[in-house]
Amino acid sequence: YFQQTDIPMEKVKLDMEDRKNLYLILKEGINNIAKHAEATKASLEVSEKNQKIIFTLTDNGVGFEIDQKTEGNGLRNFKERAEESNFELKIESDAGKGTILSICLSH
């Protein structure tokens, strides 16, 4: 499921590296849903709020406990890519409750 609200995408200016980081974060998020989440539903929503574009990837899968001590390469890669491109990254998940990955871009 994909939903995009009326967003002036031409206002979103991303250089090549930022586009790559956004793509790789979303690609890995979708890959994680397919490989690990055991989800029956997943969605990607693109919206605008307070002059920011927000990409929200959500699933209804098994979720996981976000624990800094056992953080794997995937979460570390998400955070490093987001920091490199100055994206605001938020990951919400609890065991049995699915996962929400949000990436916020200023425009």
Side-chain angles (χ1 to χ4, degrees), residues 19-33:
R19 277 185 282 187
K20 180 182 114 184
N21 284 333
L22 176 62
Y23 168 76
L24 290 173
I25 291 169
L26 291 172
K27 178 181 165 238
E28 182 65 22
I30 292 167
N31 187 53
N32 287 347
I33 292 170

Side-chain angles (χ1 to χ4, degrees), residues 19-73:
R19 277 185 282 187
K20 180 182 114 184
N21 284 333
L22 176 62
Y23 168 76
L24 290 173
I25 291 169
L26 291 172
K27 178 181 165 238
E28 182 65 22
I30 292 167
N31 187 53
N32 287 347
I33 292 170
K35 282 178 120 178
H36 307 293
E38 300 176 29
T40 58
K41 293 181 183 176
S43 67
L44 175 60
E45 181 179 350
V46 183
S47 58
E48 181 179 29
K49 183 177 181 181
N50 300 326
Q51 300 294 329
K52 295 182 179 193
I53 304 295
I54 304 165
F55 291 78
T56 307
L57 183 60
T58 305
D59 71 67
N60 69 345
V62 295
F64 62 97
E65 294 293 332
I66 298 175
D67 182 348
Q68 297 295 337
K69 295 178 201 141
T70 61
E71 184 177 276
N73 287 334

